[in-house]
């Protein structure tokens, strides 16, 4: 799951100051893990120890209340309601938060059906809109297929057929046209259906792990989340260079490092 974390950290300084080139420092001053990493760790903790995913998401948000970039407003409201009133009911979101935190699910199971079901559970406790669930499932399926040795063509075909995502536009074509307002300013780059396909395409067009992440950041939009999604898939396909792993791990807190170590010991590539 370190690929998710690296993608998030690399994108952290570009989330609200997009950069439209692949030539940028990966870990500039001020790079930090954001809510994407925090909630990915919550997912990993849930998979390690069981229970209700919602309690982990609420608990981690309360433990880390002010991450770089903050949490989405709807999620923050859900955390307040859940923690104060015990009301964990979802709020019908299709935001890309469901896809950014699902990375560990793609590593934790040996059957596709199990991956898709766990991805649904991880999303639906907050993001129970069909598109929110779809974004989580598509991301988790990509990770599962990549670690099982599928080709990029096979991954693209599966995502296009199962989830009806359009992956035809290349990263080079997206870069001048994509932003927080979607393609050509006619959408919303913060929702699953307008960011998950772009993140998957950044992976498809990459030559190695780092190149995939650079693709993701270079298209703009919700950079840390797109980087997180792309990084989660690229790790399963390419692995992660030790120098990037070490730089990311140096930014994490000791308790998050413990979750990472425990998760990778149980579910990482052997």
């Amino acid at each position: 799951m370190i690929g998710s974390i690296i993608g998030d950290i690399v994108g952290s300084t570009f989330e609200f100051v997009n950069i439209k080139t692949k030539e940028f420092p990966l870990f500039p001053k001020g790079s930090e893990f954001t809510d994407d990493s925090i909630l990915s760790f919550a997912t990993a903790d849930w998979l390690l120890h069981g229970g209700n995913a919602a309690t982990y998401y609420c608990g981690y948000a309360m433990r880390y209340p002010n991450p770089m970039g903050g949490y989405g407003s709807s999620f923050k409201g859900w955390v307040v309601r859940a923690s104060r009133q015990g009301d964990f009911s979802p709020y019908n979101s299709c935001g890309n938060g469901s896809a950014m935190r699902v990375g560990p699910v793609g590593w934790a199971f040996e059957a596709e059906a199990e991956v898709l079901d766990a991805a649904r559970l991880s999303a639906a406790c907050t993001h129970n809109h069909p598109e929110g669930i779809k974004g989580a499932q598509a991301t988790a399926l990509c990770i599962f297929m990549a670690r099982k040795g599928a080709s990029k063509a096979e991954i693209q075909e599966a995502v296009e057929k199962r989830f009806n995502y359009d992956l035809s536009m290349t990263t080079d074509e997206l870069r001048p046209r994509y932003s927080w307002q979607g393609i050509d300013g006619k959408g919303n780059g913060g929702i699953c259906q307008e960011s998950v396909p772009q993140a998957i395409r950044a992976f498809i067009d990459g030559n190695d792990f780092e190149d995939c992440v650079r693709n993701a950041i270079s298209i703009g939009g919700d950079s840390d989340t797109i980087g997180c999604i792309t990084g989660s898939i690229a790790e399963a396909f390419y692995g992660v260079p030790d120098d990037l792993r070490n730089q990311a791990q140096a930014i994490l807190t000791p308790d998050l490092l413990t979750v990472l170590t425990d998760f990778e010991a149980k579910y990482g590539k052997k």
Side-chain angles (χ1 to χ4, degrees):
M1 61 175 284
I2 189 64
S4 305
I5 311 310
I6 293 171
D8 173 42
I9 294 172
V10 171
S12 65
T13 58
F14 301 110
E15 179 181 12
F16 301 114
V17 185
N18 286 171
I19 187 167
K20 291 288 189 171
T21 175
K22 293 171 67 171
E23 302 302 320
F24 57 85
L26 286 179
F27 297 95
K29 184 178 180 180
S31 296
E32 187 57 87
F33 61 85
T34 78
D35 60 321
D36 301 54
S37 291
I38 293 167
L39 297 180
S40 292
F41 280 112
T43 300
D45 207 347
W46 166 57
L47 293 169
L48 284 168
H49 299 108
N52 187 335
T55 62
Y56 288 87
Y57 295 135
C58 181
Y60 270 72
M62 292 176 68
R63 193 184 313 168
Y64 292 92
N66 298 299
M68 182 176 183
Y71 295 99
S73 58
S74 295
F75 181 78
K76 286 193 292 186
W78 176 84
V79 171
V80 170
R81 171 163 52 85
S83 61
R84 294 181 181 177
Q85 303 174 22
D87 180 1
F88 287 84
S89 56
Y91 50 95
N92 198 39
S93 174
C94 62
N96 55 20
S98 62
M100 78 187 188
R101 70 193 189 201
V102 79
V105 169
W107 289 92
F109 301 94
E110 294 304 314
E112 180 179 303
E114 292 178 308
V115 169
L116 294 174
D117 187 55
R120 176 186 59 80
L121 290 173
S122 75
C125 61
T126 54
H127 294 55
N128 58 324
H129 188 285
E131 291 291 346
I133 294 171
K134 184 197 292 189
Q137 289 184 319
T139 302
L141 180 62
C142 288
I143 296 167
F144 175 77
M145 292 184 68
R147 73 180 180 87
K148 291 296 184 179
S151 68
K152 289 188 176 184
E154 290 169 332
I155 294 170
Q156 180 173 347
E157 181 181 15
V159 169
E160 290 177 328
K161 286 185 175 181
R162 182 182 289 270
F163 302 105
N164 199 32
Y165 279 163
D166 181 0
L167 303 181
S168 62
M169 191 176 295
T170 68
T171 302
D172 286 343
E173 291 170 331
L174 283 166
R175 193 172 295 112
R177 298 177 60 183
Y178 185 73
S179 71
W180 268 99
Q181 286 72 49
I183 296 174
D184 298 332
K186 298 178 180 179
N188 180 356
I191 59 177
C192 279
Q193 55 268 46
E194 295 189 39
S195 57
V196 175
Q198 289 75 17
I200 296 172
R201 186 70 217 200
F203 154 71
I204 290 170
D205 290 338
N207 298 316
D208 54 32
F209 176 83
E210 181 178 330
D211 194 49
C212 291
V213 172
R214 288 186 178 277
N215 279 341
I217 306 309
S218 74
I219 66 172
D222 191 359
S223 293
D224 59 330
T225 296
I226 295 173
C228 183
I229 296 169
T230 301
S232 70
I233 305 168
E235 176 192 6
F237 193 86
Y238 289 112
V240 171
D242 287 342
D243 63 326
L244 300 187
R245 171 186 285 273
N246 292 339
Q247 289 181 81
Q249 288 185 166
I251 295 172
L252 298 177
T253 61
D255 60 321
L256 296 181
L257 277 172
T258 297
V259 176
L260 175 65
T261 299
D262 291 349
F263 186 84
E264 292 189 333
K266 185 171 183 178
Y267 297 118
K269 285 186 176 180
K270 303 297 190 290

